[in-house]
Amino acid sequence: MLFRSSKMSTSWRSLLALRRAGPLALSHRANHGSSGGSGGSGAAQAGLALAAGLALAAKAYSESQRHQLKAETALQKKSSETDAEIQIHENRVRMFMTRDKIFNYFASFQHISESGKRDMMMTPKDFYASITPDCAISGVGSGVHTLITDKEVNEGNYYWGRSAIKDSLLNQIGDNGLLYYSDYCFLLTLLSTPKRLVNTVFNLFDVSGDEHVDAKEFAFVSTKMAYKKGGFGNYTHNTQEEILAHSSGLLNYLFGKDRSKTLSREGFLKLQTDLLDEIIEWEFSEYDKDGSGRISERDLCSFLLKNSKIPPKKITAMLNRIEKKWPKKGRGVSLPSFRTLFLLLVAGAEMDRALFFLDVENIGVDRQEFEKVAGWVSHQPLSDHVAEVLFVLMDDIVPGVQEKGRVYKEDVALVMGEWRCTRGADRKSTRLNSSHLCNL
């Protein structure tokens, strides 16, 4: 680019010099006694023609450069629009496609086993990108991948990118290998399971009931969970042996490469806590660009509304209402407060059910009632400031319907109800309606 600019500048100076040279040559000829009558007139006309021609050439060159600059600007604009279109497309992939298709879209490696079988595999960063709307890390796309062999996986001879989070669980898993589809579904299940129900999930994996999960139990249950969506086949003895022989980073991390380790209930709970804490901190850092430890109230609401099905114009009006009350960062939202909201979103289905039975008279709930229910379903007290932000955000979603200072379960469902559905392993809605109540 620097070379081209220098060349353009030299050409422009040359044309300007030639343009000035025409009148100067004509003047020089006149001053040195050119008395040839018609010859002098012809020389004058030739000089004027030369000057006019050079002026037209300079103008044409200027026009061509101006059009070239406009073309380059349009190309840059088109490129930025393409990036935005890719981001919109990937958001639709995350929201509407089945889990196996999402996995294939974001998985960047294809593993070739010694027997020649090929499986798509995902890096920790691919996993994060697959669940995070508007993520700065783009997916590679379906059918685009890097081939990798058993030897390369075992030696760690590939680039997979590391999380910047301190003591990262995903990095520890990545150090032991990549993620298979069944690993992906298991991690999604952990992310979308409320804290108060994680013991039930452990009981599901603990087939023998001895308070420890071994590699065979884990492989059986996690594979059944994954295959029910994609329809990839039945689970047999041969399937189990093949899965246990996989170079799965998750299996290696939990059970060792010789599969001799077991996972206790405490270890299972810690696994979910570590995974949630990392994803929460990673998402928080997407908004905390300056590393101040706080994000604006508008950013918090933008995060909350990413997966909602509210019309874009209504979302803009809601965000403007938040920005009007808390300009710029206002008081701001800290990472611990952001964490309490994230855990509430994980328990979104339970929140919907609790509000359904609490507000059977359809008169709405006040902030105190909302905070109490939120703390019960998420096992974490909701920040007072976050609760205030939520009430301002959900105020008058349906104009003229609700009373000031109260929100209805329909408002909460619109803002928070779809979050867990779009990030969990199960895509079905869990909302209650009056017909459910009649059937109880």
Side-chain angles (χ1 to χ4, degrees):
M1 185 67 184
L2 290 173
F3 173 78
R4 189 181 69 180
S5 298
S6 175
K7 184 177 179 182
M8 287 166 54
S9 178
T10 302
S11 301
W12 178 247
R13 290 195 189 99
S14 300
L15 285 171
L16 287 178
L18 287 171
R19 184 179 178 182
R20 294 191 189 100
L24 288 174
L26 182 61
S27 174
H28 180 74
R29 182 179 179 88
N31 290 337
H32 282 77
S34 176
S35 57
S38 62
S41 175
Q45 290 175 1
L48 288 172
L50 176 62
L54 290 171
L56 289 173
K59 183 177 180 181
Y61 183 83
S62 175
E63 286 292 318
S64 69
Q65 294 304 311
R66 185 170 65 84
H67 287 304
Q68 183 176 357
L69 180 61
K70 287 178 68 177
E72 290 176 352
T73 305
L75 184 62
Q76 293 172 357
K77 184 177 180 181
K78 184 178 179 181
S79 176
S80 64
E81 287 175 351
T82 303
D83 290 341
E85 289 171 0
I86 290 173
Q87 194 173 75
I88 292 171
H89 171 69
E90 291 189 347
N91 284 342
R92 293 181 66 83
V93 168
R94 295 181 186 99
M95 181 169 284
F96 298 112
M97 282 191 175
T98 57
R99 282 300 168 207
D100 54 328
K101 291 183 179 179
I102 296 173
F103 178 82
N104 288 334
Y105 184 93
F106 287 95
S108 54
F109 287 94
Q110 187 179 66
H111 172 247
I112 306 174
S113 66
E114 293 179 354
S115 63
K117 184 180 178 182
R118 295 173 181 248
D119 291 293
M120 296 302 296
M121 297 188 78
M122 182 178 270
T123 70
K125 278 196 172 183
D126 293 339
F127 173 75
Y128 174 74
S130 72
I131 62 172
T132 308
D134 297 337
C135 181
I137 307 169
S138 296
V140 293
S142 299
V144 181
H145 48 258
T146 301
L147 295 177
I148 189 170
T149 62
D150 273 332
K151 182 179 179 182
E152 290 173 316
V153 172
N154 293 332
E155 294 177 353
N157 188 22
Y158 53 90
Y159 176 78
W160 52 272
R162 300 181 68 84
S163 165
I165 306 302
K166 185 179 178 181
D167 301 325
S168 164
L169 170 66
L170 292 178
N171 282 348
Q172 295 176 51
I173 294 174
D175 288 335
N176 285 277
L178 297 168
L179 300 173
Y180 282 86
Y181 177 61
S182 56
D183 303 334
Y184 172 71
C185 291
F186 170 72
L187 294 177
L188 286 178
T189 301
L190 278 187
L191 277 179
S192 58
T193 300
K195 283 281 188 181
R196 69 187 191 88
L197 297 179
V198 72
N199 278 305
T200 304
V201 178
F202 177 82
N203 292 336
L204 178 67
F205 279 88
D206 183 18
V207 178
S208 62
D210 62 353
E211 290 296 306
H212 288 84
V213 177
D214 61 27
K216 289 184 178 180
E217 291 173 325
F218 184 87
F220 173 75
V221 178
S222 61
T223 305
K224 281 289 188 181
M225 289 169 55
Y227 284 1
K228 73 171 187 178
K229 280 291 181 186
F232 295 124
N234 296 321
Y235 188 89
T236 64
H237 176 72
N238 293 332
T239 306
Q240 176 174 279
E241 294 301 323
E242 186 179 335
I243 290 171
L244 293 178
H246 275 172
S247 49
S248 158
L250 183 62
L251 282 175
N252 291 341
Y253 172 74
L254 294 176
F255 305 104
K257 291 188 176 181
D258 59 358
R259 307 295 186 249
S260 62
K261 296 180 181 179
T262 59
L263 183 63
S264 66
R265 186 180 296 272
E266 293 73 20
F268 195 88
L269 297 176
K270 184 178 184 302
L271 181 68
Q272 189 208 31
T273 300
D274 291 345
L275 180 63
L276 278 169
D277 286 347
E278 178 167 356
I279 297 299
I280 290 169
E281 187 174 349
W282 205 340
E283 290 218 32
F284 185 84
S285 66
E286 293 265 350
Y287 298 97
D288 184 23
K289 301 296 185 183
D290 56 1
S292 65
R294 303 187 82 82
I295 62 174
S296 69
E297 287 79 2
R298 183 188 176 99
D299 286 339
L300 179 74
C301 295
S302 297
F303 158 77
L304 181 60
L305 295 173
K306 276 182 181 178
N307 290 317
S308 72
K309 295 182 179 179
I310 301 174
K313 287 186 178 180
K314 188 65 180 177
I315 289 178
T316 301
M318 294 166 71
L319 293 177
N320 289 340
R321 184 161 64 240
I322 292 294
E323 195 166 17
K324 183 177 179 181
K325 184 170 179 63
W326 291 283
K328 295 184 179 180
K329 275 197 176 181
R331 172 179 164 182
V333 178
S334 65
L335 177 58
S337 297
F338 181 82
R339 186 177 187 274
T340 63
L341 176 62
F342 197 102
L343 295 177
L344 176 60
L345 293 172
V346 170
E350 284 66 36
M351 184 71 178
D352 191 35
R353 293 187 188 102
L355 290 177
F356 181 87
F357 289 108
L358 177 64
D359 188 25
V360 291
E361 296 154 339
N362 206 31
I363 59 173
V365 296
D366 58 26
R367 217 173 89 188
Q368 184 178 2
E369 292 171 325
F370 183 85
E371 289 184 38
K372 185 176 180 180
V373 173
W376 177 74
V377 299
S378 66
H379 277 206
Q380 293 284 331
L382 185 66
S383 161
D384 291 340
H385 182 54
V386 170
E388 182 184 3
V389 173
L390 291 177
F391 263 64
V392 173
L393 180 70
M394 294 185 288
D395 180 46
D396 205 24
I397 291 182
V398 182
V401 173
Q402 68 186 52
E403 181 184 344
K404 287 290 183 182
R406 301 181 76 85
V407 295
Y408 288 81
K409 51 184 177 289
E410 291 80 10
D411 303 332
V412 177
L414 279 173
V415 174
M416 305 169 64
E418 297 296 327
W419 191 92
R420 182 186 176 192
C421 178
T422 57
R423 296 205 181 199
D426 192 352
R427 310 305 300 272
K428 294 182 293 186
S429 178
T430 53
R431 290 191 59 193
L432 286 175
N433 55 40
S434 57
S435 62
H436 290 108
L437 186 60
C438 294
N439 293 328
L440 292 176

